[in-house]
Amino acid sequence: MDEDEQGRTSPALFRVCGRHLTNPRPAETTARPEKRRVKENEPHMPNASMEEFEALLNESLEMDTPDEGTVVKGKVIAVEAGQAIIDVGYKMEGRVDLKEFANPGEDSGITVGDEVEVYLRAAENARGEAVISRDMARREEAWDRLEKAYADDARVEGAIFGRVKGGFTVDLGGAVAFLPGSQVDVRPVRDAGPLMGLKQPFQILKMDRRRGNIVVSRRAILEESRAEQRAEVIANLEEGQAVDGVVKNITEYGAFVDLGGVDGLLHVTDMAWRRVNHPSEILSIGETVKVQVIKINRETHRISLGMKQLQEDPWDLVAAKYPMSSVHTGRVTNITDYGAFVELEPGVEGLVHVSEMSWTKKNVHPGKIVSTSQEVEVMVLEIDQAKRRVSLGLKQTQRNPWEVFNEQFPPGTEVEGEVKNITEFGLFIGLEGDIDGMVHLSDLSWDERGEDAIQNYRKGDVVQAVVQDTDVEKERISLSIKALGGDKFAEAAGGIKRGSIVTVEVTAIEDGGIEVEHEGMKSFIRRSDLSRDRAEQRPERFSVGDKIDVRVTNVDMKSRRLGLSIKAREIAEEKEAVEQYGSSDSGASLGDILGAALNRDDE
């Protein structure tokens, strides 16, 4: 025996001798028994027994024991306390929990005498038993099988037994795989309860033995089988064919209908001739419906379906039932920023554009004029049969308020209203019929500038005005406030003509001239018009309250001003005196002529 054989005795030797040790040290002590004195009368061991012992020892040393970390076969020799005691040979026994023999949701079914494969983790533990595992054996066996299936792109069988974050766990006959939630079915699954514990095929998407990761898909199997079934069903379908189907799913844009293995899309616009806001209004999941195949894409296996195509098209009779300018009662079905849709009958809708909703409310959202489901009277304005469009008018069913106002309040009529708005060019006055009239700056006052006169008004003031003009086509009404008391200037200036001599009163003295007034009409006489004599062209020689005669040089009705001049009056008087009392060649001086004229006046 070599040094190792002399110093230690192998576990196999002690199994042969019926003893089990856990480490070599006790074996070393046992292999070297203390010397004891042999009694004279004690018999010696026969040579034959020693030879047999040596033969057994050599046989034990030559026997190959299984390597730790390998799968070995064993036999169930007992079942107790929820464990199976398994003899794996080589005088080794181990224990395995019965649950390791059971598949998810099943009993172990293990009995005494059954032969099983287990994984040898360690030859001995502290109790001298082999450490074995059925799960690990199944895992190793499963990995070998799964790797082959993965390489061959073959399906594997498994059962979903747990839920984890993002998906589920699947038992693939010993190996645990991850099933992402998106790979459970072709459509999202809300309740996976019926799938738990059910043996079914899966497709391996990815696996890494070193990390122990396996990702599988149930969806891939379903899609493959559905593709085969879909191809067969589509081959028997034709465009225009009417078939029965079952509503499987409802979305906002339509419904998916099962045609017996293949789904077709029934778009919301093809469900009925009338407007359908949501498919759930007319369909429910599980309902059997008759549909028509509108289009088939045999490459992508997409099928478009329709229900309204099996019904009579109401547009065939629209032109006859709804002639131009006819008035009908309809129901508001939808309101948008640009108008409101009104249903004249199921399947026939018309649009009332926002510009045709009200005579007076121009910049108002349609939802403030009408409401959904409201019944309204509308007039047919236009029909486009090709585009299946009907233009309707709401305001046309009522009289034009500007026409009504023009009839009730012709030009010259006084009206009363509230100041609705004040702008830089005038006032807007609210009138009867919910319409507005405008008072321009120039029509606010006779005496003040418009920019100054408008400062006297506030929003909400109730004012009176005179109607000047009503333009029905342009929807405009012109008003005047200054015309309420009549045109005082026109009345005062009615008898005054150019060249007339009038008497005015001085109201103000200024550097450039004097301000005067005649019968409420104010005018300004410039310095140069104060006298014929330049030395007398001094404003200060006049006083407020003085009354003087002046000559009218101009009557401007537009600016409402009189042109007045003292100088022009003096020149006119001189000319008249010359004509009456002398001539330029008589030899009389101007002073003589004027003196004679004055003496005549005194007489």
Side-chain angles (χ1 to χ4, degrees):
M1 246 180 229
D2 57 19
E3 183 180 0
D4 180 71
E5 293 173 344
Q6 292 176 359
R8 292 183 299 172
T9 303
S10 68
L13 174 60
F14 290 99
R15 284 193 290 273
V16 172
C17 299
R19 300 179 60 187
H20 297 274
L21 299 178
T22 59
N23 57 65
R25 290 301 178 187
E28 182 178 357
T29 304
T30 306
R32 295 176 182 175
E34 296 181 359
K35 293 183 180 180
R36 61 184 179 87
R37 183 177 297 175
V38 181
K39 296 181 182 180
E40 296 179 356
N41 298 329
E42 183 177 354
H44 295 281
M45 181 179 293
N47 292 334
S49 298
M50 291 299 294
E51 292 175 357
E52 292 176 358
F53 179 79
E54 185 176 355
L56 291 174
L57 178 59
N58 292 334
E59 182 182 352
S60 175
L61 294 174
E62 293 174 359
M63 185 182 300
D64 292 332
T65 58
D67 295 331
E68 293 180 351
T70 60
V71 178
V72 297
K73 287 187 177 182
K75 186 175 183 180
V76 179
I77 60 175
V79 177
E80 57 183 27
Q83 293 182 323
I85 302 175
I86 301 174
D87 180 6
V88 295
Y90 315 102
K91 299 298 182 181
M92 291 190 296
E93 299 173 359
R95 296 174 179 268
V96 179
D97 290 338
L98 293 179
K99 63 182 181 180
E100 293 191 26
F101 294 94
N103 293 322
E106 299 178 1
D107 295 332
S108 65
I110 197 73
T111 59
V112 176
D114 290 346
E115 289 190 355
V116 295
E117 288 186 343
V118 294
Y119 183 85
L120 181 61
R121 301 176 60 184
E124 288 180 314
N125 59 13
R127 296 184 296 180
E129 296 178 344
V131 182
I132 58 178
S133 170
R134 172 59 182 164
D135 280 344
M136 297 181 70
R138 291 175 68 241
R139 188 176 299 115
E140 291 296 318
E141 177 187 352
W143 272 97
D144 293 338
R145 174 172 49 82
L146 295 175
E147 283 183 337
K148 185 177 184 303
Y150 182 57
D152 297 338
D153 197 23
R155 301 179 181 181
V156 295
E157 191 176 65
I160 302 174
F161 68 91
R163 184 187 294 271
V164 294
K165 183 178 180 180
F168 304 88
T169 52
V170 180
D171 181 11
L172 300 178
V176 177
F178 173 64
L179 174 63
S182 61
Q183 297 296 323
V184 177
D185 205 333
V186 291
R187 292 190 179 89
V189 176
R190 296 182 180 179
D191 182 16
L195 301 176
M196 290 290 185
L198 180 65
K199 291 225 172 182
Q200 51 192 315
F202 294 90
Q203 186 76 36
I204 300 176
L205 301 180
K206 183 173 61 176
M207 64 184 304
D208 187 339
R209 186 162 189 169
R210 184 174 62 85
R211 296 184 177 181
N213 293 336
I214 305 177
V215 180
V216 296
S217 171
R218 178 175 176 268
R219 175 177 177 174
I221 304 297
L222 296 177
E223 287 180 343
E224 183 178 345
S225 60
R226 284 169 60 88
E228 297 173 357
Q229 189 177 14
R230 185 183 297 114
E232 182 181 352
V233 174
I234 290 179
N236 297 325
L237 291 178
E238 295 180 359
E239 294 184 2
Q241 180 181 356
V243 294
D244 291 330
V246 179
V247 180
K248 289 187 61 178
N249 192 23
I250 294 177
T251 65
E252 293 183 356
Y253 55 85
F256 289 94
V257 180
D258 184 3
L259 303 179
V262 60
D263 290 349
L265 174 62
L266 175 60
H267 197 270
V268 64
T269 57
D270 290 313
M271 291 182 178
W273 291 109
R274 67 178 180 85
R275 176 185 293 272
V276 179
N277 295 319
H278 195 276
S280 58
E281 294 179 5
I282 58 177
L283 295 177
S284 58
I285 295 178
E287 179 183 358
T288 300
V289 294
K290 183 174 286 294
V291 293
Q292 185 181 76
V293 179
I294 300 176
K295 186 177 181 181
I296 301 176
N297 189 327
R298 301 190 183 277
E299 294 181 359
T300 60
H301 290 179
R302 292 185 177 178
I303 303 174
S304 298
L305 305 174
M307 287 177 61
K308 70 180 185 182
Q309 287 76 7
L310 299 175
Q311 305 168 2
E312 184 180 357
D313 188 353
W315 273 88
D316 294 340
L317 303 175
V318 165
K321 293 178 65 175
Y322 305 100
M324 299 291 292
S325 300
S326 60
V327 178
H328 306 272
T329 300
R331 181 177 61 88
V332 178
T333 58
N334 192 28
I335 298 175
T336 65
D337 292 337
Y338 53 85
F341 288 91
V342 177
E343 183 183 60
L344 299 177
E345 65 174 81
V348 179
E349 279 188 347
L351 172 65
V352 180
H353 193 267
V354 64
S355 61
E356 307 294 344
M357 300 198 77
S358 174
W359 290 107
T360 57
K361 298 175 182 178
K362 302 297 184 182
N363 298 317
V364 178
H365 190 276
K368 294 185 177 180
I369 301 177
V370 295
S371 58
T372 305
S373 299
Q374 178 184 351
E375 288 193 353
V376 294
E377 280 194 346
V378 290
M379 178 181 288
V380 177
L381 304 180
E382 183 181 359
I383 296 179
D384 190 331
Q385 191 77 23
K387 295 182 179 180
R388 304 171 71 90
R389 293 178 180 175
V390 178
S391 296
L392 302 174
L394 186 64
K395 69 181 184 181
Q396 286 78 1
T397 60
Q398 305 169 355
R399 286 198 64 189
N400 187 330
W402 280 271
E403 291 181 355
V404 176
F405 182 86
N406 190 38
E407 294 175 1
Q408 295 180 349
F409 305 97
T413 307
E414 291 188 10
V415 293
E416 184 178 82
E418 181 181 339
V419 177
K420 296 292 185 180
N421 195 17
I422 300 176
T423 67
E424 59 182 7
F425 49 83
L427 304 177
F428 283 91
I429 311 298
L431 304 173
E432 290 186 15
D434 199 21
I435 57 179
D436 293 343
M438 191 190 78
V439 181
H440 194 268
L441 290 177
S442 60
D443 290 312
L444 289 174
S445 174
W446 294 113
D447 304 323
E448 294 182 281
R449 293 188 312 135
E451 292 79 1
D452 297 330
I454 200 171
Q455 303 298 325
N456 300 324
Y457 298 92
R458 297 290 180 270
K459 193 173 181 179
D461 291 349
V462 176
V463 298
Q464 290 183 334
V466 175
V467 178
Q468 289 187 312
D469 181 57
T470 300
D471 190 329
V472 177
E473 292 184 1
K474 295 183 179 180
E475 299 180 349
R476 294 177 182 175
I477 298 175
S478 298
L479 304 175
S480 175
I481 293 179
K482 70 181 183 181
L484 284 171
D487 190 346
K488 295 181 180 180
F489 181 85
E491 294 174 359
I496 300 177
K497 297 180 180 180
R498 184 177 180 181
S500 301
I501 304 298
V502 296
T503 302
V504 297
E505 182 179 349
V506 178
T507 57
I509 308 296
E510 299 181 8
D511 292 339
I514 61 175
E515 185 182 77
V516 298
E517 182 180 345
H518 173 69
E519 295 184 4
M521 297 181 292
K522 291 185 178 182
S523 297
F524 187 79
I525 304 176
R526 295 175 297 176
R527 177 189 286 268
S528 60
D529 286 318
L530 292 179
S531 177
R532 186 172 180 270
D533 187 355
R534 184 182 295 272
E536 296 298 322
Q537 294 177 351
R538 294 177 290 106
E540 57 270 18
R541 72 187 182 92
F542 296 96
S543 300
V544 175
D546 290 352
K547 293 185 178 181
I548 54 177
D549 292 338
V550 296
R551 182 182 177 90
V552 179
T553 59
N554 186 32
V555 180
D556 191 341
M557 299 299 292
K558 186 175 181 179
S559 62
R560 308 181 66 76
R561 289 283 180 180
L562 291 177
L564 304 176
S565 174
I566 299 175
K567 176 181 177 180
R569 188 209 71 194
E570 293 176 347
I571 293 175
E573 289 177 349
E574 179 182 339
K575 183 177 181 182
E576 183 182 356
V578 170
E579 291 177 352
Q580 291 184 8
Y581 300 102
S583 63
S584 58
D585 56 356
S586 64
S589 65
L590 178 61
D592 296 338
I593 296 173
L594 291 177
L598 291 173
N599 290 333
R600 183 179 175 184
D601 290 340
D602 292 339
E603 294 176 357

